[in-house]
Amino acid sequence: MQIKETQLDYSDVLIVPQASKVNSRSDVSLLRTIGRIPWTGVPIVAANMATTGTLNMAEALTKHMWLTCLHKHYSTNDLESLAKDVQYFSAPTIGMDTASQQTFYKVMEKENFFKFVCIDVANGYIESFKTLVKNIRSKYGDRVNIIAGNVVTPEGVEALWIEGADFVKVGIGPGSACTTRKMTGVGYPQFSAVHHCAEDAKNLPGFSGIVADGGCVHPGDVAKAFAAGAKMVMLGGMLAGHDESGGWEYDYAQGKSVPTFYGMASEHAMTNHYNHRPEYRCAEGKKIVVEERGEVANTVKEIMGGVRSACTYVGARDLNELHNNAQFVRVNNQYNKIFGE
């Protein structure tokens, strides 16, 4: 048996400020050009969850040049209905199920402007998932950037890169609606997972980078993920509860619709999308009623403002310099909570 030394989450570290010649947040660019098929945008991604990876979310985030990984339950017609610019800033999602795969195959038979496909499973270490990634790369060659995951170790990243993944999602259990760590005892502290995987990824020829998936609670966590080496950062809970989010349900007690957020391995997700939970598996997610947060544009501006500000603290004019310049300190307390979060 091997026991690794203590690893870290975002709340365990802070970015150390240093001398900076970047005098204004307006001098910072958050754009990146990345991928086998070059894509230019702000590399912050709406998670491929039914409550965040929605068509409405994609249309809203396109205005800010963010990427949306659409949830896998949309039809071919749904995906084809998106405007060209929205397709450019969106990624269809497929899983191990035949239905989502067939939907994607049909979309790819026609002209489209999608630059990404998200191949998603909770456990990215299984052989059948690696085979799926390999088959998609073989089928489409250089026509699409593949985002695949999830894993939390450099070995997991390398294994998916070998099969043709351009980006690998890193994160098992850090999400606010995920209970995998509680139900299975499996996972890895997110900051350390991102840092270790990103460092190893620098040695993989032609690999585009990792996607830090899950664990971000505040804009500062997004900045820490980029500083740790993530090429993209995927958000779920931070984008829940908005006008463009899914999961709105009528609450008879309140007499109005309220926003919910649920994990895609939750009891609610399995019964809602598949009509039942198989007896051989447990739920590894939960459903939460969240606050109403209005238009997502306001949250987008807060997040980008926080990341830009982080860049000015370390003399970074872009995300690459944020990673190159950043130094971290381990902390016992991240901020003062006397008046709440």
Side-chain angles (χ1 to χ4, degrees):
M1 180 180 70
Q2 180 184 19
I3 301 178
K4 291 181 176 289
E5 63 182 14
T6 302
Q7 303 295 307
L8 307 173
D9 278 310
Y10 294 131
S11 60
D12 295 318
V13 298
L14 287 171
I15 299 170
V16 179
Q18 55 191 273
S20 174
K21 294 183 179 180
V22 183
N23 295 312
S24 171
R25 296 169 182 83
S26 64
D27 294 331
V28 175
S29 172
L30 299 184
L31 294 176
R32 258 184 173 157
T33 299
I34 48 180
R36 174 188 304 252
I37 302 173
W39 174 89
T40 300
V42 176
I44 305 177
V45 188
N48 52 295
M49 304 170 75
T51 47
T52 55
T54 68
L55 299 178
N56 288 337
M57 186 68 74
E59 291 173 353
L61 295 185
T62 292
K63 299 174 184 177
H64 305 278
M65 302 180 74
W66 285 28
L67 184 69
T68 300
C69 284
L70 299 162
H71 68 71
K72 68 177 183 178
H73 301 290
Y74 281 121
S75 68
T76 303
N77 289 339
D78 291 330
L79 299 177
E80 292 177 345
S81 71
L82 292 171
K84 294 178 181 179
D85 60 335
V86 181
Q87 289 188 4
Y88 182 85
F89 289 105
S90 300
T93 294
I94 65 176
M96 298 303 297
D97 61 295
T98 302
S100 64
Q101 295 171 26
Q102 290 300 318
T103 295
F104 177 66
Y105 297 157
K106 291 178 182 178
V107 168
M108 292 298 287
E109 289 175 357
K110 301 179 181 179
E111 181 182 11
N112 66 78
F113 294 85
F114 293 112
K115 300 297 182 182
F116 295 90
V117 59
C118 179
I119 310 178
D120 179 74
V121 71
N123 180 359
Y125 292 89
I126 59 177
E127 285 300 318
S128 56
F129 181 70
K130 297 174 189 176
T131 299
L132 176 60
V133 174
K134 180 179 181 179
N135 290 343
I136 295 297
R137 174 57 65 213
S138 177
K139 186 177 180 67
Y140 295 108
D142 292 336
R143 290 181 57 195
V144 67
N145 292 309
I146 293 177
I147 302 172
N150 285 44
V151 298
V152 289
T153 59
E155 295 81 6
V157 171
E158 185 169 350
L160 293 175
W161 163 75
I162 289 172
E163 303 301 347
D166 299 294
F167 298 87
V168 171
K169 293 199 295 161
V170 171
I172 292 179
S176 55
C178 182
T179 61
T180 293
R181 294 177 180 180
K182 179 179 178 180
M183 296 302 296
T184 71
V186 174
Y188 205 100
Q190 186 68 354
F191 174 82
S192 291
V194 170
H195 171 63
H196 295 158
C197 291
E199 287 300 303
D200 183 78
K202 294 176 182 178
N203 300 316
L204 304 179
F207 184 60
S208 296
I210 69 158
V211 181
D213 180 13
C216 290
V217 179
H218 308 290
D221 297 330
V222 180
K224 292 174 189 178
F226 282 126
K231 291 298 184 182
M232 291 183 167
V233 179
M234 179 173 276
L235 305 177
M238 290 184 73
L239 298 180
H242 293 92
D243 295 347
E244 300 86 354
S245 305
W248 287 79
E249 298 180 2
Y250 191 80
D251 186 315
Y252 288 93
Q254 298 186 51
K256 64 174 184 177
S257 291
V258 298
T260 67
F261 177 60
Y262 56 87
M264 295 308 287
S266 65
E267 181 85 25
H268 178 79
M270 285 185 277
T271 55
N272 192 43
H273 298 293
Y274 301 105
N275 298 318
H276 75 293
R277 172 170 64 87
E279 291 185 2
Y280 61 83
R281 66 175 297 180
C282 65
E284 294 180 35
K286 58 186 176 181
K287 177 183 174 184
I288 310 141
V289 176
V290 296
E291 65 175 333
E292 298 181 33
R293 303 176 65 191
E295 295 183 355
V296 74
N298 299 319
T299 296
V300 168
K301 293 173 184 176
E302 286 293 298
I303 293 171
M304 290 202 295
V307 177
R308 287 193 188 99
S309 189
C311 288
T312 67
Y313 273 103
V314 298
R317 295 183 181 277
D318 57 35
L319 294 175
N320 289 338
E321 290 186 0
L322 173 61
H323 172 56
N324 293 335
N325 296 357
Q327 298 177 23
F328 290 93
V329 59
R330 186 173 179 178
V331 298
N332 294 320
N333 185 41
Q334 191 176 193
Y335 51 85
N336 192 326
K337 300 179 183 178
I338 191 169
F339 293 119
E341 296 293 325

